[in-house]
Amino acid sequence: MLIFIIRTILAAFLVFLNIFSLILVKCQKNDREKKILQSLAEGQSGKIDFKEPEKPDKEVQQVAQKSLEQEEKNKNGEPLDTEDDFPKDKKQQKEEKQELVEKYYKKPVSDLKLLLCALLGGALGIYLGLFIFRYRLRDILMMVLVPTILILNVFFYLQVFTVWLIPAAPVARLYLSV
């Protein structure tokens, strides 16, 4: 009974890990497409850097934090600091907050995260995601390393599940009777 529960949990883990890996591929594709569109909008037609953005300086973070605190004070009904500031409607406040969240809190999906998910057992989800979303099909790392990890995953999980599914004594009797 305990083995059945462990086997079921492991199978569920593999299914959800592969679904998660597929979603990670889609998120990484969206992040890269967004970066390409931003660079085209800014007039950069040269090489695009897909590395993770650097953390903003402490000063920039403090200014952003102060502006958020100021918005919170304005919501509570306290008077505004300057005469130029007008109360913003909820739509403007929501847009500004969303811009701050996108600017400071969103981290793009890196290749390291994808490879870690592949090593844990999500290689099938990544490999299917590459073809479903037609993404990075010319990338040698993804087209060679991920299928290799997938073969290792299949081998490992076949070993685990067959050892648990078929006890060793009946298999040994089969080989001895032949």
Side-chain angles (χ1 to χ4, degrees), residues 109-126:
V109 178
S110 66
D111 288 344
L112 186 63
K113 289 177 189 175
L114 288 177
L115 291 177
L116 180 65
C117 283
L119 287 172
L120 289 174
L124 180 64
I126 292 172

Side-chain angles (χ1 to χ4, degrees), residues 1-72:
M1 181 66 181
L2 180 64
I3 291 176
F4 175 75
I5 293 172
I6 293 172
R7 196 175 7 174
T8 307
I9 291 172
L10 184 63
F13 171 76
L14 288 175
V15 169
F16 288 117
L17 184 65
N18 280 291
I19 293 170
F20 177 72
S21 299
L22 186 83
I23 293 170
L24 274 181
V25 170
K26 180 63 177 167
C27 289
Q28 188 184 49
K29 180 182 179 186
N30 289 345
D31 290 342
R32 287 187 177 218
E33 286 176 350
K34 185 177 180 182
K35 193 164 215 157
I36 289 170
L37 290 175
Q38 284 177 347
S39 67
L40 289 176
E42 293 170 358
Q44 299 173 358
S45 59
K47 212 167 188 182
I48 300 169
D49 185 24
F50 290 110
K51 293 180 183 175
E52 292 185 17
E54 296 178 13
K55 288 187 176 181
D57 297 336
K58 294 246 182 197
E59 296 171 3
V60 175
Q61 288 179 348
Q62 290 173 351
V63 168
Q65 183 65 31
K66 286 180 183 177
S67 67
L68 280 175
E69 290 172 359
Q70 184 64 32
E71 286 182 20
E72 293 297 324

Side-chain angles (χ1 to χ4, degrees), residues 153-171:
N153 283 340
V154 168
F155 174 75
F156 175 73
Y157 289 114
L158 277 177
Q159 291 292 325
V160 168
F161 280 111
T162 55
V163 167
W164 283 353
L165 289 175
I166 305 171
V171 172

Side-chain angles (χ1 to χ4, degrees), residues 143-159:
M143 286 290 123
V144 173
L145 190 59
V146 171
T148 305
I149 295 172
L150 176 62
I151 291 169
L152 293 174
N153 283 340
V154 168
F155 174 75
F156 175 73
Y157 289 114
L158 277 177
Q159 291 292 325

